[in-house]
Short mmCIF file of all heavy atoms in Angstrom, two decimals:
data_model
loop_
_atom_site.label_atom_id
_atom_site.label_comp_id
_atom_site.label_asym_id
_atom_site.label_seq_id
_atom_site.Cartn_x
_atom_site.Cartn_y
_atom_site.Cartn_z
N GLU P 1 13.88 -16.67 -10.22
CA GLU P 1 14.93 -17.79 -10.50
C GLU P 1 14.51 -19.00 -9.83
O GLU P 1 14.56 -20.17 -10.35
CB GLU P 1 16.24 -17.34 -10.09
CG GLU P 1 16.80 -16.15 -10.93
CD GLU P 1 18.18 -15.58 -10.40
OE1 GLU P 1 18.67 -16.20 -9.40
OE2 GLU P 1 18.66 -14.57 -11.04
N THR P 2 14.18 -18.94 -8.59
CA THR P 2 13.96 -20.22 -7.68
C THR P 2 12.44 -20.74 -7.80
O THR P 2 12.19 -21.85 -7.43
CB THR P 2 14.33 -19.94 -6.19
OG1 THR P 2 13.35 -18.91 -5.68
CG2 THR P 2 15.69 -19.44 -6.06
N GLY P 3 11.59 -19.76 -8.26
CA GLY P 3 10.22 -20.19 -8.22
C GLY P 3 9.50 -20.06 -6.86
O GLY P 3 8.27 -20.37 -6.71
N GLU P 4 10.20 -19.65 -5.81
CA GLU P 4 9.60 -19.53 -4.45
C GLU P 4 8.33 -18.65 -4.59
O GLU P 4 8.47 -17.49 -5.06
CB GLU P 4 10.57 -18.86 -3.44
CG GLU P 4 10.03 -18.70 -2.09
CD GLU P 4 11.06 -17.92 -1.23
OE1 GLU P 4 12.32 -17.82 -1.57
OE2 GLU P 4 10.64 -17.49 -0.13
N VAL P 5 7.26 -19.09 -4.13
CA VAL P 5 5.89 -18.33 -4.31
C VAL P 5 5.77 -17.40 -3.14
O VAL P 5 5.84 -17.67 -1.96
CB VAL P 5 4.75 -19.32 -4.35
CG1 VAL P 5 3.49 -18.58 -4.40
CG2 VAL P 5 4.90 -20.16 -5.57
N PHE P 6 5.56 -16.10 -3.42
CA PHE P 6 5.28 -15.08 -2.42
C PHE P 6 3.89 -14.71 -2.19
O PHE P 6 3.37 -14.31 -1.17
CB PHE P 6 6.01 -13.78 -2.89
CG PHE P 6 7.54 -13.96 -3.09
CD1 PHE P 6 8.12 -13.49 -4.20
CD2 PHE P 6 8.34 -14.67 -2.09
CE1 PHE P 6 9.56 -13.75 -4.41
CE2 PHE P 6 9.71 -14.72 -2.32
CZ PHE P 6 10.30 -14.34 -3.46
N ALA P 7 3.01 -14.80 -3.27
CA ALA P 7 1.60 -14.54 -3.14
C ALA P 7 0.79 -15.14 -4.27
O ALA P 7 1.34 -15.53 -5.33
CB ALA P 7 1.42 -12.98 -3.21
N LEU P 8 -0.42 -15.31 -4.07
CA LEU P 8 -1.48 -15.86 -4.94
C LEU P 8 -2.59 -14.91 -5.01
O LEU P 8 -2.93 -14.27 -3.96
CB LEU P 8 -1.87 -17.24 -4.71
CG LEU P 8 -0.89 -18.31 -4.49
CD1 LEU P 8 -1.53 -19.55 -3.96
CD2 LEU P 8 -0.05 -18.67 -5.72
N ARG P 9 -3.23 -14.78 -6.18
CA ARG P 9 -4.58 -14.12 -6.20
C ARG P 9 -5.39 -14.62 -7.34
O ARG P 9 -4.92 -15.22 -8.35
CB ARG P 9 -4.54 -12.61 -6.22
CG ARG P 9 -3.90 -11.94 -7.52
CD ARG P 9 -3.76 -10.51 -7.56
NE ARG P 9 -3.19 -9.99 -8.71
CZ ARG P 9 -2.90 -8.67 -8.89
NH1 ARG P 9 -3.19 -7.79 -7.93
NH2 ARG P 9 -2.46 -8.22 -10.04
N GLY P 10 -6.69 -14.44 -7.22
CA GLY P 10 -7.65 -14.95 -8.25
C GLY P 10 -8.97 -14.37 -7.95
O GLY P 10 -9.12 -13.44 -7.13
N ALA P 11 -10.00 -15.00 -8.47
CA ALA P 11 -11.44 -14.38 -8.43
C ALA P 11 -11.86 -14.81 -6.95
O ALA P 11 -12.20 -15.85 -6.70
CB ALA P 11 -12.22 -15.16 -9.43
N GLY P 12 -11.92 -13.73 -6.10
CA GLY P 12 -12.42 -13.88 -4.74
C GLY P 12 -11.42 -14.35 -3.80
O GLY P 12 -11.80 -14.68 -2.64
N PHE P 13 -10.17 -14.54 -4.06
CA PHE P 13 -9.21 -15.06 -3.17
C PHE P 13 -7.97 -14.41 -3.30
O PHE P 13 -7.58 -13.95 -4.38
CB PHE P 13 -9.15 -16.53 -3.07
CG PHE P 13 -8.42 -17.15 -4.45
CD1 PHE P 13 -7.03 -17.21 -4.56
CD2 PHE P 13 -9.20 -17.42 -5.50
CE1 PHE P 13 -6.45 -17.67 -5.72
CE2 PHE P 13 -8.58 -17.95 -6.65
CZ PHE P 13 -7.23 -17.97 -6.86
N ALA P 14 -7.04 -14.36 -2.21
CA ALA P 14 -5.67 -13.90 -2.29
C ALA P 14 -4.96 -14.55 -1.19
O ALA P 14 -5.53 -14.99 -0.13
CB ALA P 14 -5.62 -12.39 -2.16
N SER P 15 -3.70 -14.64 -1.29
CA SER P 15 -2.83 -15.23 -0.20
C SER P 15 -1.47 -14.72 -0.22
O SER P 15 -0.95 -14.30 -1.34
CB SER P 15 -2.77 -16.73 -0.14
OG SER P 15 -2.04 -17.27 -1.38
N VAL P 16 -0.71 -14.67 0.88
CA VAL P 16 0.63 -14.02 1.00
C VAL P 16 1.48 -14.97 1.74
O VAL P 16 0.99 -15.43 2.85
CB VAL P 16 0.68 -12.64 1.40
CG1 VAL P 16 0.08 -11.63 0.45
CG2 VAL P 16 -0.14 -12.55 2.84
N GLN P 17 2.63 -15.22 1.45
CA GLN P 17 3.59 -15.99 2.30
C GLN P 17 4.21 -15.12 3.36
O GLN P 17 4.56 -15.62 4.54
CB GLN P 17 4.75 -16.47 1.37
CG GLN P 17 5.90 -17.22 2.25
CD GLN P 17 5.36 -18.37 2.93
OE1 GLN P 17 5.01 -19.39 2.39
NE2 GLN P 17 5.11 -18.39 4.17
N PHE P 18 4.23 -13.83 3.24
CA PHE P 18 4.87 -12.93 4.16
C PHE P 18 3.81 -12.45 5.13
O PHE P 18 2.56 -12.77 4.99
CB PHE P 18 5.59 -11.74 3.49
CG PHE P 18 4.68 -11.17 2.39
CD1 PHE P 18 3.78 -10.20 2.60
CD2 PHE P 18 4.90 -11.50 1.09
CE1 PHE P 18 3.05 -9.61 1.69
CE2 PHE P 18 4.13 -10.96 0.02
CZ PHE P 18 3.17 -10.00 0.25
N HIS P 19 4.19 -11.56 6.03
CA HIS P 19 3.25 -10.97 7.06
C HIS P 19 2.93 -9.62 6.86
O HIS P 19 3.80 -8.73 7.13
CB HIS P 19 3.84 -11.25 8.51
CG HIS P 19 3.80 -12.66 8.91
ND1 HIS P 19 2.78 -13.14 9.61
CD2 HIS P 19 4.65 -13.72 8.63
CE1 HIS P 19 2.94 -14.42 9.86
NE2 HIS P 19 4.08 -14.74 9.29
N LEU P 20 1.75 -9.30 6.24
CA LEU P 20 1.38 -7.90 6.03
C LEU P 20 1.29 -7.09 7.35
O LEU P 20 1.55 -5.83 7.27
CB LEU P 20 0.01 -7.96 5.49
CG LEU P 20 -0.17 -8.67 4.10
CD1 LEU P 20 -1.65 -9.09 3.91
CD2 LEU P 20 0.18 -7.67 3.00
N GLU P 21 1.04 -7.77 8.41
CA GLU P 21 0.88 -7.17 9.78
C GLU P 21 2.19 -6.79 10.45
O GLU P 21 2.23 -6.03 11.43
CB GLU P 21 0.03 -7.97 10.57
CG GLU P 21 0.53 -9.24 11.07
CD GLU P 21 0.53 -10.39 10.12
OE1 GLU P 21 0.36 -10.12 8.81
OE2 GLU P 21 0.68 -11.55 10.43
N SER P 22 3.38 -7.41 9.89
CA SER P 22 4.60 -7.25 10.65
C SER P 22 5.17 -5.78 10.59
O SER P 22 4.93 -5.09 9.57
CB SER P 22 5.69 -8.19 9.99
OG SER P 22 6.84 -8.00 10.48
N ILE P 23 5.92 -5.41 11.56
CA ILE P 23 6.57 -4.15 11.47
C ILE P 23 7.57 -4.17 10.38
O ILE P 23 8.17 -3.10 9.91
CB ILE P 23 7.28 -3.85 12.81
CG1 ILE P 23 7.65 -2.34 12.90
CG2 ILE P 23 8.46 -4.79 13.10
CD1 ILE P 23 8.14 -1.85 14.30
N LEU P 24 7.96 -5.29 9.94
CA LEU P 24 8.97 -5.49 8.76
C LEU P 24 8.33 -5.21 7.40
O LEU P 24 9.00 -5.12 6.44
CB LEU P 24 9.63 -6.87 8.74
CG LEU P 24 10.45 -7.18 10.02
CD1 LEU P 24 10.85 -8.64 9.89
CD2 LEU P 24 11.70 -6.24 10.15
N SER P 25 7.00 -5.12 7.33
CA SER P 25 6.29 -4.90 6.03
C SER P 25 5.99 -3.44 5.86
O SER P 25 5.03 -2.96 6.46
CB SER P 25 5.08 -5.78 6.00
OG SER P 25 5.36 -7.14 5.89
N ALA P 26 6.85 -2.73 5.17
CA ALA P 26 6.85 -1.30 5.03
C ALA P 26 5.30 -0.77 4.62
O ALA P 26 4.97 0.20 5.18
CB ALA P 26 7.89 -0.80 4.21
N ASP P 27 4.82 -1.38 3.67
CA ASP P 27 3.47 -0.95 3.16
C ASP P 27 2.36 -2.04 3.64
O ASP P 27 1.42 -2.10 2.77
CB ASP P 27 3.47 -0.79 1.66
CG ASP P 27 4.54 0.19 1.19
OD1 ASP P 27 4.72 1.21 1.81
OD2 ASP P 27 5.28 -0.12 0.41
N GLY P 28 2.57 -2.67 4.77
CA GLY P 28 1.62 -3.76 5.04
C GLY P 28 0.13 -3.41 5.00
O GLY P 28 -0.65 -4.10 4.46
N ILE P 29 -0.25 -2.29 5.59
CA ILE P 29 -1.68 -2.04 5.76
C ILE P 29 -2.21 -1.63 4.41
O ILE P 29 -3.35 -1.99 4.07
CB ILE P 29 -1.86 -0.93 6.84
CG1 ILE P 29 -3.47 -0.83 7.14
CG2 ILE P 29 -1.33 0.42 6.30
CD1 ILE P 29 -3.80 -0.04 8.35
N ASP P 30 -1.38 -0.97 3.52
CA ASP P 30 -1.97 -0.67 2.14
C ASP P 30 -2.16 -1.94 1.31
O ASP P 30 -3.01 -2.04 0.55
CB ASP P 30 -0.99 0.24 1.52
CG ASP P 30 -0.96 1.71 2.26
OD1 ASP P 30 -2.10 2.09 2.77
OD2 ASP P 30 0.12 2.36 2.24
N LEU P 31 -1.11 -2.79 1.43
CA LEU P 31 -1.11 -4.01 0.72
C LEU P 31 -2.43 -4.89 1.21
O LEU P 31 -3.01 -5.52 0.30
CB LEU P 31 0.02 -4.90 0.93
CG LEU P 31 1.45 -4.32 0.23
CD1 LEU P 31 2.48 -5.19 0.60
CD2 LEU P 31 1.16 -4.30 -1.33
N LEU P 32 -2.57 -4.92 2.59
CA LEU P 32 -3.62 -5.63 3.17
C LEU P 32 -5.06 -5.05 2.52
O LEU P 32 -5.92 -5.92 2.07
CB LEU P 32 -3.72 -5.52 4.58
CG LEU P 32 -4.82 -6.25 5.31
CD1 LEU P 32 -4.93 -7.76 5.11
CD2 LEU P 32 -4.78 -5.93 6.90
N ALA P 33 -5.16 -3.73 2.50
CA ALA P 33 -6.36 -3.22 2.01
C ALA P 33 -6.69 -3.55 0.53
O ALA P 33 -7.84 -3.86 0.15
CB ALA P 33 -6.33 -1.61 2.23
N GLU P 34 -5.53 -3.54 -0.14
CA GLU P 34 -5.65 -3.83 -1.57
C GLU P 34 -6.06 -5.29 -1.88
O GLU P 34 -6.97 -5.57 -2.68
CB GLU P 34 -4.35 -3.48 -2.32
CG GLU P 34 -4.25 -3.90 -3.87
CD GLU P 34 -2.83 -3.64 -4.33
OE1 GLU P 34 -2.10 -2.66 -4.04
OE2 GLU P 34 -2.46 -4.48 -5.23
N LEU P 35 -5.52 -6.25 -1.19
CA LEU P 35 -5.72 -7.62 -1.30
C LEU P 35 -7.22 -7.89 -0.85
O LEU P 35 -7.92 -8.72 -1.54
CB LEU P 35 -4.74 -8.51 -0.66
CG LEU P 35 -3.29 -8.53 -1.20
CD1 LEU P 35 -2.35 -9.11 -0.27
CD2 LEU P 35 -3.26 -9.17 -2.57
N VAL P 36 -7.62 -7.48 0.25
CA VAL P 36 -8.87 -7.63 0.83
C VAL P 36 -10.02 -6.98 -0.20
O VAL P 36 -10.93 -7.60 -0.44
CB VAL P 36 -9.00 -7.15 2.27
CG1 VAL P 36 -10.50 -7.26 2.62
CG2 VAL P 36 -8.17 -7.88 3.22
N THR P 37 -9.79 -5.85 -0.61
CA THR P 37 -10.67 -5.17 -1.49
C THR P 37 -10.87 -5.98 -2.79
O THR P 37 -11.89 -6.17 -3.22
CB THR P 37 -10.13 -3.75 -1.82
OG1 THR P 37 -10.17 -3.02 -0.64
CG2 THR P 37 -11.10 -3.04 -2.82
N GLY P 38 -9.75 -6.47 -3.31
CA GLY P 38 -9.76 -7.39 -4.47
C GLY P 38 -10.56 -8.60 -4.29
O GLY P 38 -11.23 -9.09 -5.13
N ALA P 39 -10.23 -9.30 -3.12
CA ALA P 39 -11.01 -10.54 -2.81
C ALA P 39 -12.48 -10.31 -2.65
O ALA P 39 -13.32 -11.22 -3.03
CB ALA P 39 -10.43 -11.18 -1.51
N LEU P 40 -12.92 -9.13 -2.12
CA LEU P 40 -14.37 -8.80 -1.88
C LEU P 40 -14.99 -8.36 -3.18
O LEU P 40 -16.28 -8.24 -3.17
CB LEU P 40 -14.44 -7.81 -0.74
CG LEU P 40 -14.09 -8.36 0.63
CD1 LEU P 40 -14.04 -7.22 1.64
CD2 LEU P 40 -15.10 -9.40 1.13
N ALA P 41 -14.29 -7.85 -4.14
CA ALA P 41 -14.79 -7.23 -5.34
C ALA P 41 -15.73 -8.26 -5.97
O ALA P 41 -15.41 -9.39 -6.23
CB ALA P 41 -13.78 -6.67 -6.24
N PRO P 42 -16.87 -7.80 -6.45
CA PRO P 42 -17.80 -8.67 -7.28
C PRO P 42 -17.11 -9.12 -8.64
O PRO P 42 -16.53 -8.21 -9.38
CB PRO P 42 -19.02 -8.00 -7.48
CG PRO P 42 -18.70 -6.49 -7.38
CD PRO P 42 -17.46 -6.41 -6.33
N VAL P 43 -17.06 -10.29 -8.99
CA VAL P 43 -16.60 -10.82 -10.29
C VAL P 43 -17.71 -11.45 -10.87
O VAL P 43 -18.14 -12.68 -10.42
CB VAL P 43 -15.27 -11.67 -10.01
CG1 VAL P 43 -14.77 -12.16 -11.37
CG2 VAL P 43 -14.30 -10.97 -9.19
N HIS P 44 -18.16 -11.00 -12.03
CA HIS P 44 -19.39 -11.69 -12.71
C HIS P 44 -19.02 -13.18 -13.16
O HIS P 44 -19.95 -13.93 -13.14
CB HIS P 44 -19.69 -10.83 -13.91
CG HIS P 44 -20.17 -9.46 -13.56
ND1 HIS P 44 -21.15 -9.12 -12.71
CD2 HIS P 44 -19.65 -8.15 -13.81
CE1 HIS P 44 -21.35 -7.82 -12.51
NE2 HIS P 44 -20.41 -7.29 -13.12
N ASP P 45 -17.94 -13.48 -13.56
CA ASP P 45 -17.59 -14.80 -14.08
C ASP P 45 -16.80 -15.53 -13.12
O ASP P 45 -16.10 -16.48 -13.44
CB ASP P 45 -16.87 -14.70 -15.39
CG ASP P 45 -15.49 -14.08 -15.32
OD1 ASP P 45 -15.37 -13.41 -14.25
OD2 ASP P 45 -14.64 -14.19 -16.22
N ARG P 46 -16.92 -15.34 -11.72
CA ARG P 46 -16.18 -15.96 -10.69
C ARG P 46 -16.42 -17.43 -10.76
O ARG P 46 -15.39 -18.25 -10.70
CB ARG P 46 -16.69 -15.36 -9.35
CG ARG P 46 -15.93 -16.03 -8.19
CD ARG P 46 -16.35 -15.58 -6.80
NE ARG P 46 -15.75 -14.15 -6.71
CZ ARG P 46 -16.13 -13.43 -5.64
NH1 ARG P 46 -17.06 -13.81 -4.79
NH2 ARG P 46 -15.57 -12.16 -5.54
N ARG P 47 -17.69 -17.82 -10.97
CA ARG P 47 -18.02 -19.39 -10.94
C ARG P 47 -17.27 -20.04 -12.13
O ARG P 47 -16.73 -21.19 -11.92
CB ARG P 47 -19.41 -19.64 -10.94
CG ARG P 47 -20.11 -19.16 -9.63
CD ARG P 47 -21.58 -19.73 -9.50
NE ARG P 47 -22.15 -19.27 -8.32
CZ ARG P 47 -21.97 -19.81 -7.12
NH1 ARG P 47 -21.16 -20.85 -7.08
NH2 ARG P 47 -22.54 -19.41 -6.12
#
């Protein structure tokens, strides 16, 4: 409804507005692993 952005991702990058590392982020370490793995994954048409 408001358009407030919580996260971005694309070829070789990701970003989050929240704190994956916080005690308030219930699945923080799993989300971090997922986003980092995605950012590091080879993408043939990245350029």
